[in-house]
Amino acid sequence: MTSAQQFDDRLLPLWTDDKLVTPAFVYDELQITDRLELLDIVHEQSGCRVLYSIKALSFASVLKTIAEYVDGFSVSSLFEARLAREIIKDNGTVHLTSPGIGTSDLPEIAEYCDYLSFNSLSQWQRCKPYAMHRQCGLRINPGLSYVKDERYDPCRPWSKLGVPLAQLQDIRTDSDLLDGISGLHIHNNCAADDYHQLEKSINLLIDQCSDLIARMRWLNFGGGYYINDPFQLDILNKIACSLKQQYDLEIFFEPGRGIVNHAGYLVASVIDIFDSGGKTVAVLDTTVNHLPEVFEYQFKPAVLQESATGKYSYCLAGASCLSGDLFGDYNFDKELQINSRIIFANVGAYMLVKANMFNGINLPAIYALGRSGKIKQELNFEYKHYRDRL
Ligand SMILES: Cc1ncc(COP(=O)(O)O)c(C=O)c1O
């Protein structure tokens, strides 16, 4: 999607609202609930239960909005599990899978969670005594890689994520080992548009372990997919319907990024402009540490006002002392001034949750853009937050 397509009148307050203090992280409730309504259709047609994977954006107000639409939350740690339970109360289920569950945390984790998918056979055996009053499952690694960057690929060589499918096949008749296992979890994609990849993964699982699936009560598809295209969601529908029909399984789908990424904006202001070796540098009151994946994965985030043909070019730079604290080179139709606002788009997922205060630069304040188009500050950070987290 181009930046021009993303522009919407509802977003005008991001430019014009004087009360909005930058840097600001703004999430748009309407864009979140639009996606959830698309998933509601899948839920209604196929019975597939929708969970939100809170690791993508776990701000409590966002979770409260999402809780109204989903069947539960998916989590990956004790704190996420506790927060998920606090928000969803008895109105939904909490599902956890993680390579990092220690037996010391498990009794409390099991208190908050309804479903636990164990990442390895050894984790399962160690944790089993604490988990038997919950629905227990195994995370399976189908060994099908769809992601080019190994850092995002759950099926990379020697993956730490899930029981390899070949190993599952070997133990599928071992009733001692599988005693207490009622479900399987398969998360093997990232930022994917093509639900045929999910279909392929499920078909491989069926091909290799149909008899085991027949003994299960539930199957969790994981997340890793965008929710942009109703035609793609038809594929999800079809897979869920067919599994339910064939095996009478309860199906879960637990996207994170697909629900919140497009709904998050970082609003920054220009605080300095100067020439450096023939390039105009515009320094912003934010930093890549507010959008850490920009630095981690070295990509150029979308800026709403960017214009490919614009005659004013700038290198947008972050405010920290790190020379590589740069967002990239951008063209604009209008010349930037001190205090011009820059709006980064599609930064709702995996940014705020990883943001840090490196250099003592304050975190962005958090605002909600309500369904009516009104903007409201939800949280701001101060010196004490910096002091107390070190
Ligand atoms: C087990 C599991 N489920 C769901 C998700 C959510 O994935 P995404 O945000 O890409 O939809 C992840 C992300 O890492 C995950 O590890």
Side-chain angles (χ1 to χ4, degrees), residues 48-289:
C48 171
R49 292 181 195 267
V50 176
L51 312 172
Y52 168 61
S53 179
I54 81 168
K55 70 186 82 172
L57 177 61
S58 54
F59 187 55
S61 305
V62 172
L63 297 185
K64 282 181 193 153
T65 301
I66 294 177
E68 302 285 316
Y69 290 79
V70 293
D71 296 292
F73 288 137
S74 134
V75 302
S76 43
S77 66
L78 172 58
F79 283 0
E80 281 192 358
R82 182 173 168 176
L83 177 61
R85 178 54 69 201
E86 242 171 68
I87 305 270
I88 203 118
K89 301 191 172 67
D90 288 335
N91 302 316
T93 48
V94 177
H95 302 236
L96 177 136
T97 185
S98 165
I101 313 175
T103 42
S104 57
D105 282 346
L106 201 74
E108 199 181 340
I109 285 179
E111 235 180 81
Y112 303 129
C113 295
D114 307 284
Y115 290 73
L116 299 162
S117 294
F118 293 95
N119 183 64
S120 67
L121 294 173
S122 94
Q123 191 191 57
W124 160 232
Q125 282 164 309
R126 233 169 320 106
C127 295
K128 187 173 176 174
Y130 309 95
M132 286 311 287
H133 56 303
R134 295 293 175 226
Q135 292 277 340
C136 294
L138 288 177
R139 177 171 176 175
I140 306 308
N141 189 322
L144 285 176
S145 282
Y146 301 117
V147 184
K148 282 204 190 90
D149 184 337
E150 280 194 349
R151 292 171 299 174
Y152 280 118
D153 180 8
C155 298
R156 64 187 288 169
W158 307 289
S159 174
K160 64 174 186 181
L161 299 170
V163 179
L165 194 49
Q167 204 177 338
L168 185 72
Q169 225 193 0
D170 289 346
I171 54 122
R172 71 187 194 287
T173 51
D174 184 335
S175 45
D176 278 350
L177 194 56
L178 293 175
D179 178 42
I181 293 292
S182 59
L184 300 175
H185 185 294
I186 178 172
H187 168 85
N188 69 322
N189 220 333
C190 180
D193 282 312
D194 183 0
Y195 280 70
H196 287 111
Q197 294 173 341
L198 177 63
E199 192 172 33
K200 197 171 158 194
S201 304
I202 299 296
N203 285 344
L204 183 68
L205 185 64
I206 294 175
D207 187 51
Q208 308 279 304
C209 296
S210 182
D211 50 344
L212 179 61
I213 299 174
R215 303 208 303 274
M216 296 292 124
R217 265 188 257 157
W218 53 273
L219 180 60
N220 187 327
F221 290 166
Y225 291 85
Y226 281 115
I227 302 153
N228 300 331
D229 179 353
F231 291 110
Q232 290 294 329
L233 292 179
D234 281 347
I235 302 172
L236 176 64
N237 229 333
K238 195 184 88 188
I239 310 168
C241 286
S242 130
L243 280 166
K244 271 179 138 339
Q245 206 179 14
Q246 212 180 330
Y247 297 100
D248 192 22
L249 288 170
E250 197 173 7
I251 305 291
F252 297 100
F253 179 46
E254 51 177 34
R257 188 187 301 273
I259 293 175
V260 293
N261 196 49
H262 64 296
Y265 301 87
L266 181 71
V267 185
S269 297
V270 174
I271 54 171
D272 197 10
I273 302 179
F274 52 82
D275 178 89
S276 175
K279 212 178 227 194
T280 310
V281 175
V283 180
L284 306 180
D285 60 357
T286 183
T287 152
V288 288
N289 299 308

